[in-house]
Amino acid sequence: MSITRYGAEGGVGTGGQKLPFSRAVEAGGWLKVSGQTPMTDGEVVEGGIVEQTRLAFDNALGIAREAGYSVEDVVHVTAVLTDARYFSSFNKVFAEIFRDHPPARICSVQDLVVDCKVEVDLTCYRADRA
């Protein structure tokens, strides 16, 4: 089994810092996408939880698509919200994104190292790539 690292050269975080991890790693049909925040060009995009959730998922799913996976291949999501009051709005966006293919999920409330409202990661699986 081989391991493929996507974006191992490191992305750019807030303030232009070079990030020391892969954007995603694939092995045995599994793809793990690192946590994504509502950032564009290394800067957090302002907005409420709905806008920030959409962008965080757009970023994560964009990485998955680059690796050859689709929204239907997502089997698990980890979500971190910075305020429990965001839960209902987050769920509405989540349902819009995954529609008839809802993955398993964990959602917690905690502080984030980036000044935003949400971070999400994805685990995807494709049997034809195992």
Side-chain angles (χ1 to χ4, degrees), residues 10-45:
V12 176
T14 54
Q17 70 174 324
K18 186 176 182 327
L19 300 175
F21 52 85
S22 298
R23 293 184 314 137
V25 176
E26 180 181 26
W30 292 94
L31 179 75
K32 299 287 284 182
V33 177
S34 292
Q36 298 298 305
T37 56
M39 286 185 153
T40 301
D41 299 324
E43 296 300 325
V44 174
V45 174

Short mmCIF file of all heavy atoms in Angstrom, two decimals, residues 10-45:
data_model
loop_
_atom_site.label_atom_id
_atom_site.label_comp_id
_atom_site.label_asym_id
_atom_site.label_seq_id
_atom_site.Cartn_x
_atom_site.Cartn_y
_atom_site.Cartn_z
N GLY A 10 3.17 22.24 2.23
CA GLY A 10 2.61 23.13 3.25
C GLY A 10 1.81 24.26 2.64
O GLY A 10 2.19 24.83 1.63
N GLY A 11 0.71 24.53 3.24
CA GLY A 11 -0.12 25.64 2.81
C GLY A 11 0.31 26.91 3.52
O GLY A 11 1.33 26.96 4.20
N VAL A 12 -0.51 27.93 3.38
CA VAL A 12 -0.24 29.21 4.03
C VAL A 12 -1.35 29.50 5.02
O VAL A 12 -2.53 29.45 4.67
CB VAL A 12 -0.14 30.34 2.98
CG1 VAL A 12 0.06 31.68 3.66
CG2 VAL A 12 0.97 30.06 2.00
N GLY A 13 -0.96 29.77 6.25
CA GLY A 13 -1.93 30.10 7.29
C GLY A 13 -2.01 31.59 7.52
O GLY A 13 -1.45 32.39 6.76
N THR A 14 -2.68 31.96 8.58
CA THR A 14 -2.84 33.38 8.89
C THR A 14 -1.49 34.06 9.03
O THR A 14 -0.53 33.47 9.52
CB THR A 14 -3.65 33.58 10.19
OG1 THR A 14 -3.03 32.84 11.22
CG2 THR A 14 -5.08 33.15 10.03
N GLY A 15 -1.44 35.27 8.56
CA GLY A 15 -0.20 36.03 8.63
C GLY A 15 0.88 35.52 7.69
O GLY A 15 2.04 35.89 7.79
N GLY A 16 0.52 34.63 6.75
CA GLY A 16 1.47 34.12 5.78
C GLY A 16 2.38 33.02 6.29
O GLY A 16 3.33 32.63 5.60
N GLN A 17 2.09 32.49 7.48
CA GLN A 17 2.96 31.42 8.00
C GLN A 17 2.82 30.14 7.18
O GLN A 17 1.75 29.79 6.75
CB GLN A 17 2.63 31.15 9.47
CG GLN A 17 1.28 30.49 9.68
CD GLN A 17 1.04 30.09 11.13
OE1 GLN A 17 1.97 29.70 11.82
NE2 GLN A 17 -0.20 30.21 11.58
N LYS A 18 3.94 29.45 6.98
CA LYS A 18 3.95 28.18 6.25
C LYS A 18 3.46 27.09 7.20
O LYS A 18 3.94 26.97 8.31
CB LYS A 18 5.36 27.86 5.77
CG LYS A 18 5.44 26.64 4.89
CD LYS A 18 6.87 26.48 4.38
CE LYS A 18 7.10 25.35 3.45
NZ LYS A 18 6.38 24.16 3.57
N LEU A 19 2.48 26.32 6.75
CA LEU A 19 1.90 25.27 7.59
C LEU A 19 2.69 23.97 7.43
O LEU A 19 2.97 23.55 6.29
CB LEU A 19 0.43 25.07 7.22
CG LEU A 19 -0.44 26.33 7.40
CD1 LEU A 19 -1.85 26.08 6.90
CD2 LEU A 19 -0.44 26.77 8.85
N PRO A 20 3.03 23.29 8.54
CA PRO A 20 3.92 22.13 8.49
C PRO A 20 3.21 20.78 8.35
O PRO A 20 3.68 19.78 8.88
CB PRO A 20 4.62 22.22 9.85
CG PRO A 20 3.57 22.76 10.76
CD PRO A 20 2.80 23.75 9.90
N PHE A 21 2.08 20.74 7.63
CA PHE A 21 1.37 19.47 7.49
C PHE A 21 0.77 19.38 6.09
O PHE A 21 0.62 20.38 5.40
CB PHE A 21 0.26 19.32 8.55
CG PHE A 21 -0.68 20.49 8.63
CD1 PHE A 21 -1.77 20.58 7.78
CD2 PHE A 21 -0.46 21.51 9.54
CE1 PHE A 21 -2.64 21.66 7.85
CE2 PHE A 21 -1.32 22.59 9.62
CZ PHE A 21 -2.42 22.67 8.77
N SER A 22 0.43 18.16 5.70
CA SER A 22 -0.20 17.92 4.40
C SER A 22 -1.65 18.37 4.44
O SER A 22 -2.33 18.23 5.47
CB SER A 22 -0.16 16.44 4.04
OG SER A 22 1.17 16.00 3.93
N ARG A 23 -2.14 18.87 3.31
CA ARG A 23 -3.56 19.23 3.23
C ARG A 23 -4.42 17.98 3.29
O ARG A 23 -5.53 18.01 3.80
CB ARG A 23 -3.85 20.02 1.96
CG ARG A 23 -3.17 21.38 1.98
CD ARG A 23 -3.49 22.26 0.79
NE ARG A 23 -3.39 21.55 -0.47
CZ ARG A 23 -4.27 21.65 -1.45
NH1 ARG A 23 -5.29 22.46 -1.37
NH2 ARG A 23 -4.11 20.97 -2.57
N ALA A 24 -3.91 16.84 2.77
CA ALA A 24 -4.61 15.56 2.81
C ALA A 24 -3.60 14.44 2.63
O ALA A 24 -2.54 14.64 2.04
CB ALA A 24 -5.67 15.49 1.71
N VAL A 25 -3.98 13.26 3.12
CA VAL A 25 -3.15 12.06 2.97
C VAL A 25 -4.07 10.92 2.56
O VAL A 25 -5.13 10.72 3.15
CB VAL A 25 -2.41 11.71 4.27
CG1 VAL A 25 -1.64 10.41 4.11
CG2 VAL A 25 -1.48 12.84 4.69
N GLU A 26 -3.64 10.17 1.52
CA GLU A 26 -4.41 9.04 1.00
C GLU A 26 -3.64 7.75 1.19
O GLU A 26 -2.44 7.69 0.89
CB GLU A 26 -4.71 9.25 -0.49
CG GLU A 26 -5.50 8.13 -1.12
CD GLU A 26 -5.74 8.38 -2.61
OE1 GLU A 26 -4.93 9.08 -3.24
OE2 GLU A 26 -6.73 7.83 -3.12
N ALA A 27 -4.33 6.70 1.65
CA ALA A 27 -3.74 5.37 1.79
C ALA A 27 -4.85 4.33 1.78
O ALA A 27 -5.85 4.47 2.48
CB ALA A 27 -2.95 5.27 3.09
N GLY A 28 -4.70 3.31 0.94
CA GLY A 28 -5.63 2.19 0.94
C GLY A 28 -7.08 2.56 0.67
O GLY A 28 -7.98 1.95 1.23
N GLY A 29 -7.31 3.54 -0.18
CA GLY A 29 -8.67 3.94 -0.50
C GLY A 29 -9.24 5.00 0.44
O GLY A 29 -10.34 5.50 0.22
N TRP A 30 -8.51 5.30 1.50
CA TRP A 30 -8.93 6.30 2.48
C TRP A 30 -8.25 7.62 2.20
O TRP A 30 -7.06 7.65 1.87
CB TRP A 30 -8.57 5.85 3.89
CG TRP A 30 -9.34 4.65 4.35
CD1 TRP A 30 -8.94 3.35 4.25
CD2 TRP A 30 -10.62 4.65 4.95
NE1 TRP A 30 -9.92 2.53 4.76
CE2 TRP A 30 -10.96 3.30 5.20
CE3 TRP A 30 -11.52 5.65 5.30
CZ2 TRP A 30 -12.16 2.94 5.79
CZ3 TRP A 30 -12.72 5.29 5.89
CH2 TRP A 30 -13.02 3.94 6.13
N LEU A 31 -8.97 8.70 2.36
CA LEU A 31 -8.41 10.04 2.26
C LEU A 31 -8.77 10.80 3.52
O LEU A 31 -9.94 10.88 3.90
CB LEU A 31 -8.97 10.80 1.05
CG LEU A 31 -8.43 12.22 0.88
CD1 LEU A 31 -6.99 12.18 0.33
CD2 LEU A 31 -9.33 13.05 -0.04
N LYS A 32 -7.75 11.34 4.19
CA LYS A 32 -7.96 12.17 5.36
C LYS A 32 -7.60 13.60 4.96
O LYS A 32 -6.47 13.87 4.58
CB LYS A 32 -7.06 11.73 6.52
CG LYS A 32 -7.30 10.31 7.00
CD LYS A 32 -8.56 10.18 7.78
CE LYS A 32 -8.39 10.74 9.15
NZ LYS A 32 -9.58 10.59 10.01
N VAL A 33 -8.58 14.50 5.03
CA VAL A 33 -8.37 15.91 4.71
C VAL A 33 -8.17 16.66 6.02
O VAL A 33 -9.00 16.57 6.92
CB VAL A 33 -9.56 16.50 3.92
CG1 VAL A 33 -9.35 17.99 3.66
CG2 VAL A 33 -9.76 15.75 2.61
N SER A 34 -7.06 17.38 6.12
CA SER A 34 -6.78 18.16 7.32
C SER A 34 -7.86 19.19 7.58
O SER A 34 -8.57 19.62 6.66
CB SER A 34 -5.44 18.89 7.18
OG SER A 34 -4.37 17.97 7.17
N GLY A 35 -7.97 19.60 8.83
CA GLY A 35 -8.97 20.59 9.22
C GLY A 35 -8.88 21.84 8.37
O GLY A 35 -7.80 22.37 8.13
N GLN A 36 -10.04 22.29 7.91
CA GLN A 36 -10.13 23.48 7.07
C GLN A 36 -11.00 24.53 7.74
O GLN A 36 -12.04 24.22 8.32
CB GLN A 36 -10.71 23.13 5.69
CG GLN A 36 -9.85 22.15 4.91
CD GLN A 36 -8.48 22.71 4.61
OE1 GLN A 36 -8.37 23.80 4.02
NE2 GLN A 36 -7.44 22.00 5.00
N THR A 37 -10.55 25.76 7.64
CA THR A 37 -11.26 26.89 8.21
C THR A 37 -11.76 27.77 7.07
O THR A 37 -11.41 27.54 5.91
CB THR A 37 -10.32 27.69 9.14
OG1 THR A 37 -9.16 28.06 8.39
CG2 THR A 37 -9.92 26.86 10.36
N PRO A 38 -12.56 28.77 7.37
CA PRO A 38 -13.07 29.65 6.33
C PRO A 38 -12.02 30.67 5.89
O PRO A 38 -12.11 31.87 6.21
CB PRO A 38 -14.28 30.31 6.99
CG PRO A 38 -13.97 30.30 8.44
CD PRO A 38 -13.18 29.04 8.67
N MET A 39 -11.00 30.20 5.20
CA MET A 39 -9.90 31.05 4.76
C MET A 39 -9.81 31.10 3.25
O MET A 39 -10.08 30.11 2.57
CB MET A 39 -8.56 30.52 5.27
CG MET A 39 -8.31 30.72 6.71
SD MET A 39 -6.62 30.17 7.05
CE MET A 39 -6.26 31.17 8.43
N THR A 40 -9.38 32.24 2.78
CA THR A 40 -9.02 32.42 1.38
C THR A 40 -7.68 33.13 1.36
O THR A 40 -7.51 34.16 2.03
CB THR A 40 -10.08 33.27 0.64
OG1 THR A 40 -11.34 32.60 0.74
CG2 THR A 40 -9.73 33.44 -0.83
N ASP A 41 -6.72 32.56 0.64
CA ASP A 41 -5.37 33.14 0.55
C ASP A 41 -4.75 33.41 1.92
O ASP A 41 -4.11 34.44 2.13
CB ASP A 41 -5.40 34.43 -0.28
CG ASP A 41 -5.87 34.19 -1.70
OD1 ASP A 41 -5.53 33.12 -2.26
OD2 ASP A 41 -6.57 35.05 -2.26
N GLY A 42 -4.95 32.48 2.85
CA GLY A 42 -4.31 32.58 4.16
C GLY A 42 -4.97 33.54 5.13
O GLY A 42 -4.43 33.78 6.21
N GLU A 43 -6.11 34.08 4.78
CA GLU A 43 -6.80 35.01 5.68
C GLU A 43 -8.24 34.54 5.91
O GLU A 43 -8.92 34.13 4.97
CB GLU A 43 -6.79 36.43 5.11
CG GLU A 43 -5.40 37.02 4.98
CD GLU A 43 -4.65 37.13 6.31
OE1 GLU A 43 -5.28 37.39 7.36
OE2 GLU A 43 -3.42 36.92 6.30
N VAL A 44 -8.70 34.64 7.15
CA VAL A 44 -10.07 34.28 7.49
C VAL A 44 -11.03 35.25 6.82
O VAL A 44 -10.83 36.46 6.84
CB VAL A 44 -10.28 34.31 9.03
CG1 VAL A 44 -11.74 34.07 9.38
CG2 VAL A 44 -9.40 33.27 9.71
N VAL A 45 -12.06 34.69 6.22
CA VAL A 45 -13.08 35.49 5.58
C VAL A 45 -14.13 35.85 6.63
O VAL A 45 -14.63 34.97 7.33
CB VAL A 45 -13.72 34.73 4.39
CG1 VAL A 45 -14.89 35.49 3.81
CG2 VAL A 45 -12.67 34.46 3.32
#
